Amino acid sequence: RQRRDRGEPAVDMWTAHCEHPDPKGSLCHRALNAVPPRLDAPLILEWTGDCNWEPVLPRDVSLPPVQVLRDRLRTALARGQTDAFQKKCEGADNYDAQMGPVVSRSRADRRIPLPPDGGRGFVRPMYWSLGLNNYKMEFRRAVAIALVTNRTLCLTPMEDGRTYIGKDVSGEPTQLATLYDAARLDGLVPTAHPDACPPYHACVPSFALCGRPEATLYRDAVVTTEEYGRRAARYGGTACTAPLRCGVGPEVPVDVHWRIWRDGLRKPPGLVAAAREWTGALFGDDGPYVALHWRFEEDVCPREGHRTGECVWTMDGPVALPRELLLRSVRAAAAAAGGVRRVFIATDGRYREGEDLVDGLREDLGALGYQVRESRDADVMEGPPHGYGGTDRTFRSELEQQIVALSSFAVGSSRSSWYFEALFDMVARDDDRGAFEIVLEVEEALHAMSPELHKEKNVPFPSVSTMDGVKFGFLGEAVSCDYDKRGEEAVETDGSIGICCRVNC
């Protein structure tokens, strides 16, 4: 413990000298905070190569006393070894001879008696990201791990805005049954209430299955179900594994994810019924319409000098989104849907000082002969339907998401997890495997992580297939189209505005 005062508020630094095979004897973990450390705070380390470890949890709380930290560190090392770690470090000359017994003892301690789930073990997702739809991404990776390891999936509730275990959060957690059809999901993998699952501290974090790799092409990250199963099998000797920071993974088992969406994930029937009823009230009947998800980027766009709402986040970063581009995108989507003249707008602009932008777009579309609606234009029910169980805020977001998913054509940001969720639901309902693979590639976003590599290799976007014939597009994102334009009356057919449209666009 050291006290440092450099003219700034003093803080305590808690450190532990690493007793793992590191020739340089570097520090394993440290944290700065003026708040006294909690003895029961979870400690999770991630191996970053060359025998180095980085702190994952806690991020903004100080560490426990050194002896407690040292004991937990040894246990973490024993629980978190990978093939690469063993290859690089286990044979080091200065390997602490005492680590052998510690490893054996820790592994024995880890085999705690399993609750009555048939002996298969548990997968308990630990949500890390910000926002409900990012949590859904993490949840889907937990489903994938449970599916390939034949484990019971813990239905851990989500708390919007909660970044990790231990942070104080106000508000009612969102139960999984308000987001997905619980009976259908249970038909895919066995599920359990969190109270029937082991506590978090008894679950091994599955780091090797989580994270987005840089300098990688999507095609090089795709693996078979068998390969992914072998990767996940390293956690097979534990009672519980906890996917952490697992919105995406370094390996993409496409068949597993397709099976999850096709067979396991559907929205609750009550929510789907409410969405259909709402669209009927908005447009007067259940006829076709196109949907625009207009996300007001409150973070990345202002940093680049754009007004919120006049910018969209793409694979190459934020780009300008003028009114003209929005109009062209909606018109192209309507043409691609067969000449639809009805438009549904899902946007958070009215809550982010953008009412003038939303009203202006509606007026311009109306002048072109489109019937434009937002969910607030109908008030079918005062709150969530009976038996839904979620909050009004969550219900309204899920309702709009489902209206987008039920549209004849949708357009939105390629970097929006809210939009991904709607598209996954759309293509799974249509049983469109090709369109599904496009959405999965976009969600993995390796183009965004490695733009220079993709440009150097001249990899098109998306790389799995072209986008002509699909029912969705991406605002401001140039996409690959592949069809013969000769003899067709077309304005935008090259994919430059994120939509492949054949005629009258």
Side-chain angles (χ1 to χ4, degrees):
R1 179 181 182 182
Q2 301 174 356
R3 173 73 66 180
R4 294 184 175 184
D5 190 351
R6 300 177 181 176
E8 300 175 354
V11 297
D12 289 334
M13 173 183 282
W14 293 87
T15 66
H17 193 273
C18 202
E19 296 190 15
H20 69 77
D22 183 352
K24 298 179 181 179
S26 65
L27 295 175
C28 299
H29 194 130
R30 62 185 178 182
L32 295 174
N33 198 289
V35 180
R38 289 173 41 206
L39 290 178
D40 61 345
L43 170 62
I44 300 177
L45 308 177
E46 181 176 9
W47 178 64
T48 58
D50 296 328
C51 307
N52 296 318
W53 294 81
E54 291 292 333
V56 174
L57 232 82
R59 286 195 310 185
D60 63 355
V61 296
S62 50
L63 298 177
V66 171
Q67 186 56 49
V68 175
L69 173 61
R70 184 170 298 172
D71 292 341
R72 291 189 181 183
L73 174 62
R74 287 174 175 241
T75 304
L77 288 170
R79 296 169 181 170
Q81 288 184 359
T82 66
D83 292 341
F85 172 79
Q86 293 170 352
K87 181 178 180 180
K88 282 180 173 289
C89 303
E90 197 152 317
D93 294 337
N94 65 338
Y95 185 78
D96 186 349
Q98 296 181 359
M99 280 301 292
V102 171
V103 169
S104 300
R105 185 173 65 254
S106 298
R107 287 178 173 165
D109 293 343
R110 177 58 69 179
R111 297 189 181 93
I112 61 175
L114 296 179
D117 72 325
R120 60 173 57 89
F122 293 89
V123 174
R124 181 161 190 166
M126 183 183 291
Y127 307 117
W128 176 273
S129 306
L130 284 172
L132 188 62
N133 288 282
N134 293 85
Y135 293 160
K136 293 176 188 176
M137 293 171 62
E138 295 181 280
F139 176 72
R140 294 198 296 269
R141 268 65 193 178
V143 177
I145 295 170
L147 189 60
V148 299
T149 58
N150 192 30
R151 288 170 171 247
T152 296
L153 177 68
C154 299
L155 299 182
T156 310
M158 304 176 184
E159 295 183 20
D160 199 2
R162 180 176 184 168
T163 53
Y164 53 86
I165 300 303
K167 181 177 179 179
D168 292 333
V169 180
S170 61
E172 181 181 347
T174 300
Q175 302 299 326
L176 268 301
T178 67
L179 305 176
Y180 301 109
D181 184 340
R184 187 181 181 100
L185 177 60
D186 193 61
L188 179 69
V189 293
T191 61
H193 189 277
D195 292 345
C197 298
Y200 276 113
H201 71 264
C203 300
V204 178
S206 51
F207 291 122
L209 302 175
C210 306
R212 182 184 288 115
E214 296 187 36
T216 302
L217 301 179
Y218 177 77
R219 63 175 179 243
D220 295 330
V222 173
V223 297
T224 66
T225 302
E226 291 72 22
E227 290 172 313
Y228 189 71
R230 285 193 293 270
R231 182 87 169 200
R234 71 173 69 256
Y235 303 99
T238 62
C240 177
T241 186
L244 173 66
R245 297 200 302 183
C246 217
V248 293
E251 296 176 328
V252 186
V254 178
D255 291 339
V256 173
H257 287 294
W258 173 239
R259 183 183 171 193
I260 289 171
W261 272 107
R262 183 194 63 194
D263 300 336
L265 294 184
R266 285 289 189 279
K267 296 302 176 178
L271 178 65
V272 178
R276 294 188 186 279
E277 184 179 359
W278 216 284
T279 55
L282 288 172
F283 296 111
D285 56 50
D286 59 355
Y289 59 93
V290 299
L292 167 66
H293 177 229
W294 187 5
R295 177 179 176 180
F296 277 51
E297 296 285 354
E298 73 280 9
D299 184 21
V300 296
C301 288
R303 289 204 307 262
E304 298 294 324
H306 299 285
R307 178 188 173 183
T308 303
E310 294 183 337
C311 160
V312 63
W313 195 7
T314 70
M315 294 290 180
D316 287 329
V319 300
L321 185 65
R323 178 84 56 80
E324 294 75 17
L325 180 55
L326 277 171
L327 289 170
R328 288 169 59 196
S329 298
V330 171
R331 293 177 66 184
V340 174
R341 307 298 293 176
R342 302 195 292 191
V343 180
F344 173 74
I345 299 178
T347 182
D348 56 356
R350 296 192 181 279
Y351 310 104
R352 301 189 186 280
E353 301 181 347
E355 286 209 55
D356 60 316
L357 297 178
V358 179
D359 289 338
L361 179 63
R362 291 191 61 163
E363 290 174 6
D364 287 351
L365 286 171
L368 293 172
Y370 291 93
Q371 183 184 11
V372 187
R373 296 289 184 267
E374 299 171 68
S375 64
R376 73 182 204 150
D377 294 332
D379 192 10
V380 178
M381 54 191 74
E382 294 183 357
H386 178 71
Y388 176 73
T391 63
D392 183 69
R393 176 186 175 186
T394 300
F395 168 69
R396 186 57 67 108
S397 176
E398 294 294 301
L399 174 77
E400 292 195 347
Q401 199 172 60
Q402 188 60 201
I403 294 175
V404 172
L406 293 171
S407 67
S408 298
F409 199 101
V411 60
S413 169
S414 65
R415 305 304 322 119
S416 168
S417 58
W418 191 100
Y419 187 49
F420 300 158
E421 180 81 4
L423 295 187
F424 276 128
D425 189 63
M426 171 192 286
V427 299
R429 184 182 292 109
D430 292 343
D431 197 25
D432 190 338
R433 169 67 183 256
F436 170 83
E437 293 195 25
I438 292 175
V439 182
L440 187 60
E441 178 182 4
V442 173
E443 183 183 60
E444 288 291 327
L446 294 182
H447 291 77
M449 289 292 290
S450 314
E452 294 80 11
L453 176 65
H454 284 76
K455 292 174 182 176
E456 175 188 336
K457 299 289 186 181
N458 196 27
V459 177
F461 171 73
S463 65
V464 293
S465 72
T466 58
M467 284 187 57
D468 45 305
V470 301
K471 294 169 50 179
F472 53 86
F474 300 107
L475 285 173
E477 189 86 64
V479 299
S480 177
C481 304
D482 182 21
Y483 46 77
D484 187 357
K485 299 183 289 293
R486 290 173 298 177
E488 296 180 345
E489 298 177 3
V491 177
E492 291 292 346
T493 58
D494 60 359
S496 61
I497 62 170
I499 296 171
C500 293
C501 177
R502 290 178 178 272
V503 295
N504 301 321
C505 300

